[in-house]
Amino acid sequence: MPYRASSLTEGQTLPDTARETTLKRPRARDNRQPKLALGLLPDLIGYSLRKAQIAVFQNFQNAVAPHDITPGQFGVLILIRENVGLSQSELGSAVGIDRSTMVAVIDRLESRGWVVRAPSPNDRRSYALELSPAGTALVEDLIPRVRAHERTMAKDLNKQEQAILIDLLNRVSRAS
Amino acid sequence: MPYRASSLTEGQTLPDTARETTLKRPRARDNRQPKLALGLLPDLIGYSLRKAQIAVFQNFQNAVAPHDITPGQFGVLILIRENVGLSQSELGSAVGIDRSTMVAVIDRLESRGWVVRAPSPNDRRSYALELSPAGTALVEDLIPRVRAHERTMAKDLNKQEQAILIDLLNRVSRAS
DNA sequence: TATTGTTATACTCTATAACTATA
DNA sequence: TATAGTTATAGAGTATAACAATA
């Protein structure tokens, strides 16, 4: 595999702002190489969002380790599993990508033997997507790993904070 | 311009969870077409993160409208402005991308007349990146637009909630 | 010998436009 | 006429490997 999506042109390091918890901690290691001035970036939600996104993506890859699958592919597998008979176009508009883009997405999942393009009973133009037995087994195997990954990413947040984070993120999503 | 990065294979719609604020609102419009079952996705931080990311990215594009620039390019311009004389390699490691990738990033910004590859005074192997006058003017023009964009994205969060969101995101970034 | 920028190569994600088969 | 899947084409973003110039 070539690349391995890492970060993006957004800035990586971050100066420690906010959170005065555990005041009396003896200034433990905080050796993330800052050095660079970040200007207004640390105040932007998009900037923090992007950094968190990168961290989550990379940890996901490790968490599902033996399997080579991206968070996006996992999402598609879940949607197919939860909505049997979905067509490519429906799936595409659900995840917000063009149907021409969805072709290659399904191609990859199909060539790995996880997804089947079954004929749609009603409409001969479209497929009824479904998981193969291997795809079903894969998802079963992935779910506990993904849950463990989730616990890792949220390990410094208590239950309430996790719920708050998701709620705040959802409100940002709806704000645009 | 071709594509216009929109979303990704992660799932778009979302069922309304949490937040019982304003109980007596008469069930206003909430017509985001759900229909699809999302399984465990809405419980995953990565899923909400991705949706928020997409919303922010798209709104950013609108907010800087006359200019065609991505959040990532904006971030790079800010870093160059705040750290004059930065080399491509330093910039690359700051934003977490390979120096070979940074070449094309700077190529684009340079071809648009915003960034200059000035000779480094100390090291003849590297460049001292700086903004051109046009690049400086661009950034000056962008900053208020980006701040307005930020207000749009955070319009349903009060000041405290915004700070909490950024803090929680930073903690997630550090968790991996 | 190590580092900086570069090029060659490759792969994913994304889009638009046009085509085929079907509705 | 409209829709589902497809292909052709294009561009951004990402990586690794190798090379030249310089340290």
Side-chain angles (χ1 to χ4, degrees), chain B residues 66-97:
Chain B
H67 307 291
D68 180 39
I69 186 172
T70 65
Q73 291 175 321
F74 175 73
V76 165
L77 291 179
I78 293 291
L79 290 177
I80 292 175
R81 187 177 81 146
E82 301 289 328
N83 304 274
V84 201
L86 208 59
S87 75
Q88 290 184 193
S89 291
E90 287 169 332
L91 183 53
S93 60
V95 303
I97 65 179

Side-chain angles (χ1 to χ4, degrees), chain B residues 25-61:
Chain B
R25 194 180 29 176
R27 302 179 79 269
R29 54 113 189 84
D30 188 15
N31 308 324
R32 286 156 282 123
Q33 77 276 347
K35 277 187 299 190
L36 261 68
L38 300 178
L40 79 172
L41 297 182
D43 291 335
L44 301 180
I45 290 176
Y47 178 78
S48 295
L49 220 40
R50 181 62 186 157
K51 280 192 291 107
Q53 175 77 42
I54 291 163
V56 167
F57 193 99
Q58 292 195 317
N59 185 275
F60 183 97
Q61 303 278 18

Side-chain angles (χ1 to χ4, degrees), chain B residues 3 6-9 88-89 99-100 117 125-127:
Chain B
Y3 73 149
S6 63
S7 81
L8 170 138
T9 343
Q88 290 184 193
S89 291
R99 68 188 200 278
S100 69
R117 281 174 160 117
R125 290 172 304 179
S126 66
Y127 295 122

Side-chain angles (χ1 to χ4, degrees), chain A residues 3-17:
Chain A
Y3 75 148
R4 219 83 304 252
S6 62
S7 81
L8 171 138
T9 342
E10 270 276 20
Q12 186 78 283
T13 54
L14 69 165
D16 207 354
T17 12

Side-chain angles (χ1 to χ4, degrees), chain A residues 118-158:
Chain A
S120 169
N122 330 310
D123 188 338
R124 285 195 306 181
R125 291 173 303 180
S126 67
Y127 296 122
L129 298 174
E130 51 189 52
L131 297 186
S132 67
T136 302
L138 173 70
V139 170
E140 300 295 343
D141 187 64
L142 286 176
I143 286 179
R145 295 173 197 271
V146 170
R147 292 203 189 279
H149 149 72
E150 188 71 8
R151 284 192 295 275
T152 299
M153 299 314 300
K155 73 169 188 293
D156 292 339
L157 314 189
N158 62 37

Side-chain angles (χ1 to χ4, degrees), chain A residues 71-126:
Chain A
Q73 291 175 320
F74 175 73
V76 164
L77 292 179
I78 293 290
L79 290 177
I80 293 175
R81 187 177 81 146
E82 301 289 327
N83 304 274
V84 201
L86 207 60
S87 75
Q88 289 184 193
S89 291
E90 289 170 331
L91 183 53
S93 60
V95 303
I97 64 178
D98 192 86
R99 66 189 201 278
S100 68
T101 304
M102 189 51 73
V103 173
V105 171
I106 300 300
D107 280 352
R108 272 173 233 121
L109 296 175
E110 190 181 39
S111 72
R112 301 240 242 159
W114 296 330
V115 165
V116 176
R117 281 174 161 116
S120 169
N122 330 310
D123 188 338
R124 285 195 306 181
R125 291 173 303 180
S126 67

